[in-house]
Amino acid sequence: MAQRFQFLKRKRYALPIGLLLIIGAGLAGLAALRNGGSGPGPAANSGDGGDAAAITSDVHFYGQSPPVYPSPNMTGAGPWADAFSKARALVANMTLSEKISLTGGTSSNTSCPGFVGAIPRLNFTGLCLADAGNGVRGTDFVSSWPSGIHVGASWNRALTHQRGQGMGGEFRTKGVNVLLGPVVGPAGRVVLSGRNWEGFSVDPYLAGALVFETVQAVQAVGVMTSTKHFIGNEQETNRNPSTSSGVTTEAVSSNIDDKTMHELYLWPFQDAVRAGTGTVMCSYNRVNNSYGCANSNLLNGLLKTELGFQGFVVTDWGAQHAGVATALAGLDMAMPNPDPFWGSHLAAAIGNGSVPGSRLDDMATRVIAAWYRMGQDKNYPASGIGMAPDLLKPHAIVDARNSTFRSTLLDGAIEGHVLVKNIRGALPLKTPRMLSLFGYSAKNPDHNSPSAIAWKFGAESFSVSDLLAGFMGPGTVGTVTVGINGTLYSGGGSGAPSQSLMVSPFDALVQQAYDDGTALFWDFTSAKPSVNPASDTCLVFGNAFATEGSDRPAARDDYTDGLIRHVADQCNNTIVVLHNAGIRLVDQFVDHANVTALVFAHLPGEASGKALAALLYGRANPSGRLPYTVARNESDYRALNPDLPAGDFARFPQSNFSEGVLVDYRHFAARNITPRYEFGFGLSYTTFNYSNLSVDKAVSLNSTTNNTQLFAPYPSGAVREGGPEDLYDTLVRVSADVTNTGGVAGAEVAQLYVRLPSYSGVPQLRGFDKPFLNALQTATVRFELTRRDLSVWDTAAQQWRLLPGRYAMAVGRSCRDTPLVGEVVIP
Ligand code: BGC
């Protein structure tokens, strides 16, 4: 962190938690957690305060996160075999200090936020680790890609794959070895969490499908992904420990029971591991009161044993708070540097036997194997070659953009827009005579200058002081809801791609109006602007800002809602466009009789305005669908705000995930709450009809597996990356016909929801497909349900379990609109 903000003093985080405190966690905890069923995590009870006196020591939490030791060595299973044997051979020739150098960052003459030094003697060329999941950050000549939430709203696997290829290629050209993304944690449990926009969706199946495509595509061009943040990083407030007047407040603990962990939070990480992610980044927060990067249950247990992860675990920046304990818990690399826990201290720990030498060999082998596996030992651009340390000084031009992917940038921007209201034929626009434009978010911010910290962290529309308020410290609840200085291309923080060239909505609308001879009026600063009554249409642009380091203060804002109502009072065809870095409530204005259309425009990246104009004028047909639920009221959500330090736990903030898997639409279904716009919902300029559902049990095609084995309660296959290999056997096939019954071509997102026997009232997304259909065309959509898709986590057996019973299958347009319903019975 200090490396990124050299002008600021390093914030002193809490001192290490003693080794014994971590590994001394008792077996009682293991039993409590593993047999805990679907109830709250072990600290849920204690976290509620009550009888206990104020907690001043970590001892109180012993046993809440089960100890899992020793750390499993990499095995080289599956596609890693070759890389593994080469890595072993190379590591066998390394000195102790060479191995140690692979386990922590060092300084470099680049802007890579993390850098592992080369070992020229052995032809190891070093590693540049750079942000982010949405494009290269902090340099020039790169593209600003649509952010995670926008990709989630596209529900498009193929397009997500193309984005990964295009984005990955840019990292490669810039000499970045490790892309610090994609993000599947936060998942989005806390509605106002500051980083939800970096991830794809609160639904684990949707996030899992899209992270799988991203990891495969990025790594296919030779760049390692660092899937992050592992795990339970669901709020920014108290994400890090902090010390004030000598008193340390530890990072928030996400208290997650074993079942919820598997069925929700671990799920997309499992897909990333299955896709072969080369690294996983452990998170700032604690999980069941043990730090993410020192938690043996998470790293040794879930990741390296259960999921068979072969790559290396890197810390989030500054997330290491112990030395020996993190080594034994399965951490492999400390960033941005090994201070103050590893480096010479790790050498000493190896020397005195506190850490076995084999653990260091495994760390080094995992790092080198990932490097070989991506082919970075051959013809890879020099580490950090395109990452100039200071863009204001003369530097070599390394243009990473690739014109082949311009259409992907535009399609990606188009498909993440979600149209949720469109009455009286408001859209598409038909060569209007006069348009009036309002709102701070129509235009570009006033600066796009690489000299500014704001530029490096995607905060040009927002203020640096607000960005830094939470970023450098423990994490806070923010104070601003909107980026008042202009439209948003991404959210803020380390997840922001560099803004090189952007097309704002205003830019694109001026161009369009010029071509069409449309008169344009605009006012982007007044709260109560005047409207020319001759306007055919008024467009109001607002946004909802979010950034790393702070949680959002609110899910709506009175300023923007007042502006919309003021315009709508004077203009009977008012179209609202919100660039929202997270869930934005709309009930203060959406039922106004003159609000004729509403678009959630999310975070489209540099092609923003071009994409919006294509949609508004009908050159593109909206096909985005909400990857989250928009409620009518804040109180409809289970977890709106972050948890704050409180009561006896003021020094050990607790966040109890006691709702289990019932987040977002599952919570709305379980509680029978009607949302404003449900998960999966979105309008098109055409209509689609569903017919011909078929649901069939699969027949074993494998001569060694009969049908009884295929439907056996537990998987029995060997563990590969992503878990037992037969967890991915197809057990049920579902298909349906989708027909475009309207007048124009468009894409439909057909969705399959399953009601598992143990969650009978609650739909869970288990399939989606997005056919593009000409008018009157029909396509058959097919969904293959794997054993994992139909199983629940059995905490006693520590296995995925296929329950006997009826599985309702519903196919349709959203989680609440499923015209086709069938079922399958598992004996
Ligand atoms: C963020 C990570 C990021 C890292 C390096 C941290 O503050 O949490 O997501 O990759 O910095 O910039």
Side-chain angles (χ1 to χ4, degrees):
M1 206 155 294
Q3 215 158 300
R4 290 204 316 234
F5 290 113
Q6 272 140 359
F7 64 99
L8 290 172
K9 278 218 161 127
R10 187 185 162 94
K11 176 110 190 161
R12 272 215 68 76
Y13 290 140
L15 287 170
I17 299 168
L19 160 68
L20 290 176
L21 304 195
I22 301 273
I23 59 175
L27 287 171
L30 178 63
L33 198 70
R34 296 228 151 158
N35 300 328
S38 57
N45 299 328
S46 43
D48 289 335
D51 301 331
I55 313 291
T56 54
S57 151
D58 223 21
V59 172
H60 179 83
F61 303 102
Y62 277 14
Q64 293 191 353
S65 186
V68 180
Y69 299 98
S71 189
N73 287 335
M74 180 184 182
T75 61
W80 287 83
D82 185 44
F84 177 57
S85 67
K86 283 185 189 156
R88 278 229 291 210
L90 199 77
V91 171
N93 281 325
M94 287 184 184
T95 63
L96 177 70
S97 66
E98 283 168 344
K99 290 182 216 174
I100 300 253
S101 74
L102 298 175
T103 66
T106 184
S107 59
S108 74
N109 189 30
T110 70
S111 60
C112 306
F115 203 90
V116 173
I119 309 177
R121 181 180 84 81
L122 297 173
N123 297 326
F124 172 66
T125 47
L127 300 174
C128 158
L129 294 80
D131 295 306
N134 309 312
V136 188
R137 179 176 68 77
T139 191
D140 49 11
F141 298 111
V142 292
S143 310
S144 166
W145 294 83
S147 292
I149 190 174
H150 205 84
V151 178
S154 78
W155 293 66
N156 189 330
R157 287 187 178 87
L159 189 56
T160 303
H161 196 91
Q162 279 174 28
R163 170 184 178 263
Q165 286 174 326
M167 210 167 68
E170 295 191 11
F171 279 84
R172 182 185 173 111
T173 306
K174 286 286 185 183
V176 176
N177 304 79
V178 181
L179 179 162
L180 298 173
V183 171
V184 287
R189 169 184 185 263
V190 178
V191 172
L192 296 178
S193 181
R195 299 187 81 173
N196 288 348
W197 61 275
E198 293 185 49
F200 304 110
S201 173
V202 61
D203 181 79
Y205 183 91
L206 179 55
L210 300 180
V211 79
F212 183 88
E213 297 297 337
T214 305
V215 168
Q216 288 223 317
V218 170
Q219 295 200 158
V221 301
V223 177
M224 281 177 230
T225 53
S226 186
T227 307
K228 66 189 188 183
H229 306 85
F230 192 71
I231 195 168
N233 195 167
E234 298 297 322
Q235 63 176 60
E236 292 301 278
T237 304
N238 293 104
R239 68 175 183 160
N240 273 311
S242 58
T243 302
S244 165
S245 311
V247 176
T248 296
T249 303
E250 300 296 338
V252 65
S253 176
S254 297
N255 300 322
I256 313 176
D257 68 83
D258 188 33
K259 187 170 166 68
T260 304
M261 177 61 89
H262 282 84
E263 294 181 10
L264 183 52
Y265 298 97
L266 187 63
W267 183 291
F269 282 101
Q270 184 166 8
D271 286 304
V273 173
R274 183 162 153 79
T277 190
T279 78
V280 165
M281 185 190 290
C282 52
S283 58
Y284 283 135
N285 57 289
R286 296 179 303 148
V287 174
N288 298 327
N289 286 294
S290 165
Y291 272 99
C293 296
N295 190 316
S296 66
N297 181 49
L298 299 181
L299 307 183
N300 290 340
L302 298 185
L303 195 56
K304 291 183 172 176
T305 304
E306 228 181 273
L307 301 188
F309 173 60
Q310 298 292 307
F312 64 92
V313 177
V314 58
T315 61
D316 199 341
W317 269 229
Q320 190 186 31
H321 303 294
V324 173
T326 54
L328 298 181
L331 178 68
D332 302 304
M333 183 187 283
M335 279 291 164
N337 54 54
D339 301 332
F341 301 105
W342 279 4
S344 59
H345 301 290
L346 185 54
I350 304 281
N352 68 23
S354 319
V355 173
S358 57
R359 182 68 267 271
L360 177 64
D361 287 346
D362 181 53
M363 295 177 194
T365 306
R366 285 172 179 271
V367 173
I368 296 291
W371 177 73
Y372 276 128
R373 174 117 170 79
M374 305 300 143
Q376 294 185 356
D377 55 321
K378 292 197 189 83
N379 303 325
Y380 203 82
S383 294
I385 182 105
M387 304 291 287
D390 184 348
L391 293 179
L392 298 181
K393 299 213 169 104
H395 56 282
I397 291 177
V398 179
D399 193 339
R401 297 164 303 169
N402 177 343
S403 56
T404 315
F405 289 98
R406 288 191 79 162
S407 58
T408 309
L409 279 157
L410 180 60
D411 290 346
I414 288 172
E415 294 202 22
H417 286 76
V418 184
L419 176 68
V420 292
K421 180 175 184 184
N422 187 19
I423 59 168
R424 304 200 294 268
L427 288 174
L429 300 174
K430 293 153 207 92
T431 328
R433 208 176 27 204
M434 179 189 290
L435 282 181
S436 291
L437 313 178
F438 304 101
Y440 53 88
S441 197
K443 61 163 188 70
N444 270 325
D446 297 325
H447 302 104
N448 185 46
S449 164
S451 62
I453 280 293
W455 180 84
K456 290 201 176 110
F457 293 95
E460 293 283 19
S461 300
F462 173 67
S463 92
V464 183
S465 51
D466 289 326
L467 173 85
L468 295 179
F471 205 44
M472 291 303 295
T476 56
V477 178
T479 51
V480 289
T481 45
V482 301
I484 199 79
N485 304 332
T487 193
L488 301 182
Y489 296 92
S490 78
S494 64
S498 275
Q499 301 187 348
S500 304
L501 166 94
M502 310 94 83
V503 182
S504 73
F506 183 46
D507 297 336
L509 291 172
V510 168
Q511 183 69 54
Q512 177 83 39
Y514 187 88
D515 291 347
D516 293 351
T518 299
L520 271 192
F521 283 99
W522 64 87
D523 176 346
F524 299 145
T525 55
S526 306
K528 294 188 185 303
S530 330
V531 179
N532 183 331
S535 307
D536 300 85
T537 302
C538 300
L539 286 151
V540 188
F541 293 88
N543 67 47
F545 192 78
T547 183
E548 177 184 348
S550 305
D551 293 312
R552 296 166 56 205
R556 68 177 90 193
D557 77 275
D558 292 344
Y559 174 79
T560 307
D561 290 359
L563 170 69
I564 295 167
R565 281 201 311 265
H566 177 82
V567 172
D569 284 345
Q570 301 166 77
C571 180
N572 68 5
N573 187 13
T574 298
I575 294 174
V576 178
V577 178
L578 294 175
H579 287 95
N580 56 314
I583 293 175
R584 167 67 157 85
L585 302 192
V586 294
D587 268 53
Q588 292 190 141
F589 67 83
V590 77
D591 282 336
H592 191 298
N594 291 341
V595 171
T596 50
L598 170 61
V599 179
F600 286 113
H602 297 119
L603 302 169
E606 66 181 42
S608 175
K610 275 184 166 297
L612 184 73
L615 289 162
L616 294 179
Y617 284 84
R619 292 190 297 277
N621 191 346
S623 66
R625 304 291 183 258
L626 294 175
Y628 51 76
T629 301
V630 180
R632 290 174 185 272
N633 292 299
E634 284 83 353
S635 56
D636 292 341
Y637 292 107
R638 170 66 177 73
L640 179 74
N641 292 299
D643 282 305
L644 301 175
D648 296 337
F649 293 83
R651 287 175 53 184
F652 297 89
Q654 304 291 305
S655 182
N656 298 321
F657 292 24
S658 47
E659 70 286 346
V661 301
L662 299 180
V663 300
D664 200 75
Y665 69 93
R666 299 158 173 204
H667 161 76
F668 283 72
R671 297 286 157 91
N672 211 9
I673 303 169
T674 307
R676 167 57 73 174
Y677 300 118
E678 73 267 23
F679 177 88
F681 174 72
L683 298 170
S684 161
Y685 296 152
T686 185
T687 49
F688 298 96
N689 189 51
Y690 285 76
S691 60
N692 290 338
L693 178 71
S694 102
V695 180
D696 294 302
K697 274 196 268 183
V699 178
S700 174
L701 298 175
N702 178 342
S703 54
T704 59
T705 313
N706 62 34
N707 280 333
T708 312
Q709 284 165 328
L710 190 64
F711 289 94
Y714 299 107
S716 54
V719 172
R720 293 280 181 249
E721 285 175 290
E725 50 191 350
D726 51 344
L727 199 54
Y728 298 92
D729 284 353
T730 297
L731 301 194
V732 174
R733 293 198 168 85
V734 177
S735 68
D737 288 346
V738 183
T739 304
N740 181 345
T741 47
V744 291
E748 168 71 332
V749 179
Q751 303 160 40
L752 165 66
Y753 294 89
V754 178
R755 285 175 171 77
L756 302 172
S758 60
Y759 294 106
S760 53
V762 179
Q764 305 202 39
L765 182 73
R766 286 294 185 261
F768 64 94
D769 194 11
K770 190 171 186 181
F772 181 87
L773 297 169
N774 290 320
L776 305 181
Q777 194 186 348
T778 298
T780 302
V781 290
R782 298 175 200 283
F783 310 103
E784 303 218 320
L785 289 152
T786 65
R787 169 179 284 282
R788 179 173 71 139
D789 294 335
L790 298 172
S791 295
V792 291
W793 183 252
D794 181 333
T795 56
Q798 288 294 296
Q799 290 256 43
W800 286 98
R801 173 157 197 204
L802 190 62
L803 295 170
R806 292 179 185 282
Y807 291 68
M809 306 273 160
V811 174
R813 308 176 181 91
S814 77
C815 70
R816 289 170 60 89
D817 183 1
T818 48
L820 304 180
V821 181
E823 69 167 24
V824 70
V825 178
I826 306 275

